[in-house]
Amino acid sequence: MDRRQFLASSGLATLAFAAEPVFAAGTASAADAKLHGLLDAVFQDGIARSPEFATSLGVDKGKLAHLRSELSPATAAERRADLARNQRWLGEIKAVKADGLSEAGKRHRALAVYQLEQRTLPAERFDIGSVQRPYPIFQQGGAYFETPDFLTSQHPVESTGDADAYLSRLSAFARVLDEDTAEQRAQAARGFVAPGWSLDLTLGQMAKLRSPAAAESTMARYLGEKAKAKGLAGEWQAKAARIIESEVYPALDRQVALMTDLRRNTPAGDGVWRLKRGDEIYAAALAQATTTAMTPDEVHAAGLEQVADISAKLDVILKEAGLTQGSVGDRLTELNKRPEQVYPNTTEGRKALIDSLNAGIADMWQRLPKAFADIPRQPLEIRRVPEEIQDGASNGYYNRASLDGTRPAIYWINLKDNGDWPKYSLPALTYHEGVPGHHLQNSYSQLSGDLPMLLRNMFLSAYGEGWALYAEQLADELGAYNGIERAGYLQSFLFRAARLVVDTGIHHKGWSREQATDYMVATTGFARPRSQREVERYCTQIGQACSYKIGHMAWVKQREKAQAALGDKFSLPWFHEVLKDGVMPLSMFEARIDERVQQRLAMKG
């Protein structure tokens, strides 16, 4: 796993950031203390080698202040060195015998083992950075795509030192671009090159990044504007422009030259089957994404069953709204085009859209006490995906808040075309990305004093995306949808069910991008451009799309099981307190709910 993927999937904290007690008083044993110290060492080692993650958590200060000036290397040698370190840590964690641990300690050990095993798998078995993202450079991956966004959304500029650190990172950006280029060249020799259309999108985005005069680039303007706002003396925008002109742009030109050359010869096809050992990579990616042992055929069948069930529910709602002719997909398409459902593609229209999302968040905060206790209130901002990456970016995504409170969580929405976002569909997206979805779940986990820092910022897609989809359902139970907005919520479910069919179709059954897009449009009623962007994501980020609905089904199943077992002793706030235990594979989640149910049954009264 390369460092950028490491940052996205693992949780680490800092030498300069004091760890809180993990085990409750009276429950810790000597084995617990040993494990706790070992997990501390793992996250301290990791954060010291992960400058971007240190910045994202707001812990690049004190003894680790130097990390604010650095970017992670992206070389094959570093990937293999990371593999060796992770294998060593994994061996040490496994050497701590579970028998002497408290129940919390046993869970923490099992989670740490799972995390390290998943972290080592791609490099150990396939000599790649990630089984879910096997291509070094594609329309949503690589330093060209990630670093400018990171610099302009997460690097703080509060002082002259911060501004100097930004300049150092700009120079490092050029180095990392060249490292990415070298890695892509080496992996291309093994056949790991993204599909042709992906390289077309990639080259188009690189051209947009390269096209402004250096002084007018987003990266230079960001530093100039931030420095000016803070009253920092100096020509910071000009300094940034000189680095961009002399270092970044030449490195980007070298990458463009390679990608242009690879475009001529990339293997045909859209699925991972086009790669050597593609079936093995897909099996590993699907297992990692869903945290289950489900086969591609089982996932495909589950998707078809879910599509049929959700379509039947939507049919009833659409008929009640006067939409009676054609398939469910046809009627949703018709609803999408109604003038009252569309924000205009103007600056004012985009502002009105984001204002509506903020209003939905504000309303949901008021409803949460009915279903949650001890609600964390970390700040959340809603922002438009930067225009220079919107062509290849996801339709919506979430960045967690910094641990020190200096940077809010951000819910990003792709507003390339407001027609992609009919009004009735937006509340479900907000409840998914914001509250009670990703933002609330991450806040509970991140602020939990009962979790080691290694596990507190960990993310597993089946658990986290499953929760976010469950949160859309919970919003319905809390009365948050009005009228036809319930069709938007069910359409969101239909979309995630269709993903099970599409992802396995592309990577297991040999579907083309066009065939998958046709199915998505016909099934969900989403606009074709939006559907195609989604399908393109599934082609290059394999298996991940299956995590949502598989995870959601697990959350619903466990809640129903707990309700049946507890009767009057069941409550939503009690059930949702499992979020404080942090993310976990679905099998561990099931065992944890069983354990909590037995504890609840044993309570008097």
Side-chain angles (χ1 to χ4, degrees), residues 118-193:
Q118 293 305 309
R119 197 185 294 171
T120 59
L121 183 150
E124 193 171 59
R125 288 183 56 189
F126 305 107
D127 194 24
I128 57 178
S130 168
V131 290
Q132 293 184 55
R133 293 162 59 104
Y135 307 117
I137 301 173
F138 60 103
Q139 83 276 9
Q140 289 185 358
Y144 88 92
F145 183 87
E146 296 154 358
T147 302
D149 184 38
F150 165 76
L151 288 173
T152 57
S153 65
Q154 299 196 48
H155 184 100
V157 181
E158 301 289 334
S159 66
T160 299
D162 290 341
D164 280 330
Y166 185 95
L167 295 177
S168 295
R169 275 182 160 163
L170 267 184
S171 186
F173 179 32
R175 184 207 80 230
V176 176
L177 282 169
D178 281 332
E179 290 172 349
D180 268 1
T181 300
E183 174 69 357
Q184 178 61 85
R185 182 180 290 109
Q187 293 289 6
R190 304 174 60 220
F192 287 88
V193 186

Side-chain angles (χ1 to χ4, degrees), residues 299-371:
V299 172
H300 194 83
L304 291 173
E305 181 180 350
Q306 287 283 309
V307 165
D309 179 65
I310 299 164
S311 294
K313 293 175 181 176
L314 266 166
D315 178 56
V316 174
I317 292 175
L318 293 172
K319 284 178 178 176
E320 290 174 350
L323 293 161
T324 60
Q325 302 300 311
S327 69
V328 166
D330 291 339
R331 282 177 277 165
L332 288 169
T333 299
E334 180 184 342
L335 181 59
N336 293 347
K337 296 177 181 178
R338 288 185 173 181
E340 71 273 13
Q341 288 294 337
V342 181
Y343 286 101
N345 266 323
T346 62
T347 299
E348 294 76 17
R350 291 181 171 87
K351 181 181 183 302
L353 189 155
I354 289 178
D355 286 347
S356 75
L357 303 183
N358 279 307
I361 292 287
D363 175 70
M364 181 52 70
W365 281 121
Q366 304 306 311
R367 299 176 187 269
L368 291 185
K370 297 177 183 178

Side-chain angles (χ1 to χ4, degrees), residues 22 56 96 105 109 169 173 189 235 240 325 365 374 403 416 421 423 442 469 508 601:
V22 172
S56 74
V96 178
R109 178 186 180 276
R169 275 182 160 163
F173 179 32
E235 297 297 322
Q325 302 300 311
W365 281 121
D374 306 321
L403 286 177
K416 178 180 179 179
W421 299 111
K423 295 177 182 178
N442 275 289
L469 203 53
H508 180 62
L601 287 171

Side-chain angles (χ1 to χ4, degrees), residues 530-542:
R530 176 183 176 184
S531 296
Q532 182 165 305
R533 281 200 303 275
E534 287 289 335
V535 167
E536 289 165 349
R537 169 185 159 197
Y538 313 153
C539 290
T540 52
Q541 300 184 67
I542 63 178

Side-chain angles (χ1 to χ4, degrees), residues 462-463 465-467 546-556 586:
Y463 184 97
E465 297 295 357
W467 167 265
C546 298
S547 61
Y548 296 69
K549 201 67 179 70
I550 297 300
H552 168 255
M553 290 189 290
W555 275 98
V556 172
L586 296 182

Side-chain angles (χ1 to χ4, degrees), residues 25-249:
T27 65
S29 65
D32 286 335
K34 180 180 179 180
L35 176 69
H36 187 190
L38 182 56
L39 297 186
D40 282 350
V42 175
F43 71 66
Q44 289 169 357
D45 177 57
I47 201 69
R49 302 176 191 280
S50 307
E52 295 92 339
F53 198 50
T55 295
S56 74
L57 292 180
V59 297
D60 52 351
K61 55 190 69 173
K63 294 180 180 178
L64 295 182
H66 65 93
L67 293 176
R68 191 168 293 190
S69 303
E70 301 171 10
L71 294 176
S72 302
T75 64
E78 281 298 319
R79 181 176 70 250
R80 289 159 191 158
D82 278 345
L83 172 61
R85 277 190 293 271
N86 289 329
Q87 288 171 326
R88 177 172 60 83
W89 286 126
L90 180 58
E92 291 191 31
I93 293 170
K94 285 184 173 180
V96 178
K97 301 301 182 184
D99 292 348
L101 295 171
S102 67
E103 291 305 311
K106 290 176 183 177
R107 289 196 303 273
H108 298 161
R109 178 186 180 276
L111 282 168
V113 166
Y114 182 86
Q115 183 184 140
L116 268 293
E117 286 178 340
Q118 293 305 309
R119 197 185 294 171
T120 59
L121 183 150
E124 193 171 59
R125 288 183 56 189
F126 305 107
D127 194 24
I128 57 178
S130 168
V131 290
Q132 293 184 55
R133 293 162 59 104
Y135 307 117
I137 301 173
F138 60 103
Q139 83 276 9
Q140 289 185 358
Y144 88 92
F145 183 87
E146 296 154 358
T147 302
D149 184 38
F150 165 76
L151 288 173
T152 57
S153 65
Q154 299 196 48
H155 184 100
V157 181
E158 301 289 334
S159 66
T160 299
D162 290 341
D164 280 330
Y166 185 95
L167 295 177
S168 295
R169 275 182 160 163
L170 267 184
S171 186
F173 179 32
R175 184 207 80 230
V176 176
L177 282 169
D178 281 332
E179 290 172 349
D180 268 1
T181 300
E183 174 69 357
Q184 178 61 85
R185 182 180 290 109
Q187 293 289 6
R190 304 174 60 220
F192 287 88
V193 186
W197 52 263
S198 172
L199 299 189
D200 290 338
L201 288 170
T202 299
L203 286 165
Q205 292 180 149
M206 288 177 176
K208 285 186 178 181
L209 181 64
R210 178 67 174 82
S211 61
E216 294 305 312
S217 73
T218 301
M219 292 177 290
R221 286 191 289 106
Y222 172 84
L223 181 60
E225 291 166 5
K226 286 288 186 180
K228 183 178 180 181
K230 294 296 179 180
L232 306 181
E235 297 297 322
W236 296 104
Q237 186 165 342
K239 291 179 181 179
R242 284 193 288 272
I243 295 172
I244 293 168
E245 184 67 39
S246 64
E247 300 179 42
V248 174
Y249 279 176

Side-chain angles (χ1 to χ4, degrees), residues 426-486:
L426 286 167
L429 178 72
T430 292
Y431 304 141
H432 182 105
E433 302 292 350
V435 290
H438 284 313
H439 184 58
L440 189 64
Q441 181 256 308
N442 275 289
S443 296
Y444 269 114
S445 181
Q446 199 174 53
L447 299 176
S448 174
D450 291 333
L451 281 173
M453 293 297 291
L454 177 65
L455 307 178
R456 202 179 297 189
N457 294 283
M458 179 180 172
F459 185 78
L460 294 176
S461 194
Y463 184 97
E465 297 295 357
W467 167 265
L469 203 53
Y470 166 79
E472 297 180 39
Q473 174 182 324
L474 184 62
D476 184 45
E477 295 169 350
L478 294 174
Y481 299 109
N482 294 313
I484 199 64
E485 289 175 355
R486 291 198 72 250

